[in-house]
Amino acid sequence: FGDTFFYSSLEDVDLCWRLQDGGFELEYRPQGRIFHKHRNALLAFAKRRYDYGTSEPILQKLHPSRRKRLDLPGWTLLFWAAVISSAILKSSFFACLAVAIVTSEALIKKLKIIKTTNLGAAEIALSCARAHISFMLGIFSFISRYYLVLILLILPISAYTALIFLSAHIVAGVIEFVVRKPKLNLLAFLFFFSVEQGSYQAGVWAQSWRERIFNPINPEIDLK
């Protein structure tokens, strides 16, 4: 793979996809160990992340049938439409509607799986709510990973939109901080997180422009 990926974190993805396309099965072996040589200097780290980002459009070019997809579940769209409407309009009606949507979704799922589980409607409703929240956090992470660089372009046009993008990035960073539990304070972590995300997506955007392939930053939308 040396002729394709000069600096990449995606050689393993390319290899796995080629094996799968060739009819082979992959097996997960958790006992495997991989050692990485990390760049600890800030500029060297940023350059490495930029180089990694440039490989993503190349991977999409090699595997056009494996286009990035963004699933938009109907229940999730209804739930967040109600939540956002409630926040913007300060309406208790839409807040109640959001609760009703989760309740209806839970009851329908309960009827579908009643013969296979002892979970109650309340537990299923809580699971549905967590799924909707996870979906939104996934959207925030996608914005943070691929669209942070647009904030400077959006800011002169709409400061409010730029603030939304920046808020999504910060939320994604805080979630990473909570999950990873680094030996850094939150502000320091957010700084390095921003450098990492900005450097990687700069590489993605630059190589996408060179290759004229924008799949990595323009996923296929799938309404469900």
Side-chain angles (χ1 to χ4, degrees):
F1 305 105
D3 58 337
T4 303
F5 297 104
F6 296 97
Y7 302 97
S8 175
S9 60
L10 300 175
E11 307 101 323
D12 52 342
V13 179
D14 180 50
L15 174 61
C16 290
W17 284 357
R18 290 188 189 191
L19 290 172
Q20 288 178 324
D21 293 342
F24 294 93
E25 294 184 359
L26 303 180
E27 181 177 311
Y28 174 59
R29 294 294 183 95
Q31 65 269 30
R33 295 291 183 270
I34 298 176
F35 296 92
H36 294 277
K37 181 180 179 181
H38 292 287
R39 273 66 177 173
N40 294 324
L42 185 61
L43 291 180
F45 169 75
K47 183 179 184 302
R48 173 60 62 169
R49 294 305 298 163
Y50 174 90
D51 292 335
Y52 279 176
T54 62
S55 65
E56 193 168 332
I58 298 175
L59 185 67
Q60 288 286 301
K61 186 175 183 178
L62 291 173
H63 302 274
S65 63
R66 296 179 179 272
R67 182 174 176 178
K68 188 177 295 181
R69 295 172 60 246
L70 176 61
D71 295 329
L72 298 179
W75 285 108
T76 298
L77 293 179
L78 289 174
F79 172 78
W80 284 111
V83 170
I84 294 172
S85 297
S86 174
I88 294 176
L89 302 175
K90 298 181 180 179
S91 169
S92 58
F93 168 78
F94 284 105
C96 294
L97 181 59
V99 175
I101 289 170
V102 172
T103 303
S104 300
E105 180 186 12
L107 290 174
I108 292 173
K109 289 186 175 180
K110 175 64 176 177
L111 292 174
K112 288 182 178 180
I113 62 176
I114 194 169
K115 295 181 179 180
T116 59
T117 180
N118 294 322
L119 291 176
E123 293 173 296
I124 297 176
L126 182 60
S127 175
C128 292
R130 285 200 298 263
H132 297 326
I133 293 172
S134 296
F135 169 83
M136 186 56 71
L137 292 178
I139 295 295
F140 288 172
S141 295
F142 187 83
I143 291 173
S144 173
R145 189 165 184 79
Y146 295 103
Y147 289 101
L148 184 62
V149 293
L150 293 184
I151 290 179
L152 295 177
L153 299 177
I154 297 173
L155 186 59
I157 303 172
S158 173
Y160 182 73
T161 304
L163 180 61
I164 291 176
F165 275 59
L166 181 60
S167 298
H169 168 67
I170 292 174
V171 171
V174 171
I175 296 299
E176 284 287 310
F177 178 81
V178 172
V179 171
R180 295 181 181 277
K181 299 180 176 62
K183 295 180 180 179
L184 295 169
N185 62 59
L186 178 58
L187 290 179
F189 178 83
L190 287 177
F191 169 75
F192 290 112
F193 178 75
S194 299
V195 171
E196 190 274 334
Q197 296 288 74
S199 300
Y200 181 87
Q201 64 196 251
V204 173
W205 279 80
Q207 194 64 33
S208 291
W209 181 258
R210 296 187 194 105
E211 301 288 342
R212 298 298 190 270
I213 293 178
F214 298 95
N215 292 351
I217 52 181
N218 182 31
E220 187 176 80
I221 304 298
D222 187 7
L223 295 173
K224 292 187 174 182

